[in-house]
Amino acid sequence: MVAVPASVEILAEPSLTLGLLAWTLAGAALGCCSGLVPGLHANNFTLLLAGFAPSIPGRPLFVGCAMLAAGVVHTFVNAVPAMALGVPDAEMAITALPGHRLVLEGRGYEAIRLSALGSLLAVLAAVPLAVPVTRGVTAAYPPIRAHLSLVLAMVVVALIASERTWRTRLGGLVSFALAATLGALTLDIATDAPLEAGGMLAPLFAGLFGAPVLIDAIRGGGVPPQRDESIAMSRRLVGGTAIAGALAGAVVGYVPGISAAIAAVAVLVVVPGRSGDRGYIVATSGVDTANTIFALFALVAIGQPRTGVMVAFDTVNAPLELPVLVAGIVLAGCVGFVLVIVVGDAYLDLVGRTDYWKISVAVLSLLCCLSYLFTGFIGVGVFAVATAVGLVPIRVGARRVHLMGVLIGPLIVGA
């Protein structure tokens, strides 16, 4: 008897189509909730999801679609707390993140829409590009892997050289060295924690990238009144930046240690025009979301899960029915686009009406709690040290992307 592909079966059975739609929307809702929790990294979230996956009733294909939808929508929505929380005082705008600078200018609504567009356009671009790009990257990966230390070292040198002054270059070098040392000392520490979900990455990333901004924001004036949601960036530039971000998402998925922020810096070098903060938001959002799609095709091509989302997906033994899975991802992307705008505007307004120091203290407390839940008391100590290291680039005016040395440094030594 000839087996009927799941994609054909679903098209032929309306009840199965409705079931797939329901599971995809349920996953999108879960991804929205996780994306709004500050400090909950996508890897932690998906590894938690993987732990619950065996007990979830339902067809493996549908559960897998729900996981992919949750991962995609998480990459859409996590931009909202990143922009609304940790906004510093206006006098510190020069050292603020691009999204924070736009919020301080009263352009938060625009920043949210730029992020949503970057993610959605990356989804739409990554789907037709996935097969040829995956073939090209898989062909190029063996020599890259063989010379990974050299490739990563060149990336580090380029990032430091891209700083505008010698002071910030020195600050970037010191930031990288401190983060690399911290990663080498802590990444492999065994933990006894209430929840097993990603190891030391949770306190390291929360301390390096989350807590320092919140600490400075305690003295800040919070989110000012926002105005005018129109986008002050040409459609052509938005589209070009998002497509470049989608292509960079493949690199992030294949080359260890390369983050969305690093890829965004490279994207802005090759994209014409002076896009500045707006281009950075579009690029990072595009890289982050496209990475989920390319990771699915990488799983099909080389049989290895390259992201936390795909590790969770792999645990449910879902059939690799690409037409169904890609359709679910595109649907989740459309849902994520709407959610970011609706939830993001309300989120900014709510935070703007609240005493900001209370929000900063509450989120810092939440990061401490998550560090304990994922890594125990030793993780809380790592979180505190990572916070101190994370303050270095902010104080010297360097980009925080150098803190990715926490992963790149150990990879250079160990490759």
Side-chain angles (χ1 to χ4, degrees):
M1 184 175 179
V2 179
V4 179
S7 54
V8 175
E9 183 184 358
I10 288 170
L11 288 174
E13 291 288 340
S15 61
L16 293 180
T17 303
L18 291 175
L20 176 64
L21 178 63
W23 278 92
T24 301
L25 293 177
L30 189 60
C32 179
C33 294
S34 68
L36 293 175
V37 178
L40 186 58
H41 190 268
N43 284 345
N44 304 125
F45 159 64
T46 49
L47 289 172
L48 284 174
L49 196 59
F52 289 106
S55 61
I56 300 176
R59 294 178 54 155
L61 179 61
F62 289 178
V63 177
C65 280
M67 286 184 165
L68 292 177
V72 168
V73 174
H74 182 102
T75 65
F76 272 79
V77 180
N78 64 4
V80 175
M83 292 180 189
L85 304 175
V87 179
D89 201 43
E91 285 74 13
M92 297 183 64
I94 189 63
T95 61
L97 298 175
H100 290 160
R101 283 196 286 267
L102 289 178
V103 170
L104 285 171
E105 295 171 8
R107 307 290 302 181
Y109 298 151
E110 179 193 1
I112 286 172
R113 281 154 180 77
L114 285 170
S115 176
L117 279 172
S119 290
L120 179 63
L121 292 175
V123 168
L124 299 179
V127 169
L129 292 172
V131 171
V133 169
T134 298
R135 286 176 178 170
V137 174
T138 51
Y141 184 70
I144 292 175
R145 187 67 184 88
H147 303 89
L148 184 59
S149 294
L150 178 61
V151 171
L152 293 177
M154 291 172 62
V155 170
V156 173
V157 171
L159 287 173
I160 293 173
S162 67
E163 292 285 356
R164 295 185 176 181
T165 68
W166 283 106
R167 181 175 184 271
T168 53
R169 288 172 193 149
L170 179 60
L173 177 61
V174 171
S175 299
F176 174 84
L178 290 174
T181 302
L182 180 62
L185 294 175
T186 62
L187 278 173
D188 294 330
I189 293 179
T191 62
D192 183 15
L195 297 174
E196 292 295 332
M200 280 295 169
L201 284 178
L204 283 171
F205 275 68
L208 290 171
F209 298 101
V213 183
L214 291 165
I215 289 172
D216 283 342
I218 291 176
R219 303 190 305 270
V223 175
Q226 302 298 299
R227 62 185 186 277
D228 193 4
E229 59 193 39
S230 62
I231 295 177
M233 187 176 176
S234 71
R235 294 180 180 179
R236 183 176 181 180
L237 190 53
V238 170
T241 305
I243 293 173
L247 292 172
V251 178
V252 172
Y254 277 89
V255 182
I258 304 299
S259 68
I262 294 175
V265 172
V267 166
L268 294 184
V269 171
V270 300
V271 172
R274 298 178 59 83
S275 55
D277 291 342
R278 291 172 172 83
Y280 183 87
I281 292 171
V282 174
T284 49
S285 299
V287 172
D288 204 19
T289 303
N291 185 27
T292 303
I293 298 173
F294 286 114
L296 172 62
F297 280 80
L299 180 63
V300 175
I302 63 177
Q304 294 181 5
R306 310 294 300 185
T307 66
V309 173
M310 298 317 301
V311 169
F313 177 88
D314 206 33
T315 61
V316 300
N317 296 316
L320 293 173
E321 290 282 344
L322 282 178
V324 177
L325 298 174
V326 170
I329 287 174
V330 173
L331 174 60
C334 295
V335 173
F337 176 79
V338 176
L339 285 173
V340 169
I341 296 174
V342 174
V343 176
D345 288 357
Y347 204 100
L348 275 177
D349 293 340
L350 177 62
V351 171
R353 295 193 302 267
T354 308
D355 288 339
Y356 207 71
W357 71 269
K358 294 180 181 178
I359 294 177
S360 297
V361 171
V363 176
L364 282 169
S365 301
L366 175 62
L367 295 180
C368 285
C369 290
L370 289 174
S371 297
Y372 169 74
L373 288 174
F374 294 148
T375 52
F377 287 111
I378 191 170
V380 177
V382 170
F383 169 71
V385 176
T387 299
V389 173
L391 286 168
V392 173
I394 295 177
R395 294 293 180 264
V396 299
R399 290 196 300 261
R400 300 195 312 160
V401 70
H402 305 294
L403 296 173
M404 283 305 298
V406 70
L407 296 181
I408 295 177
L411 284 171
I412 291 176
V413 174

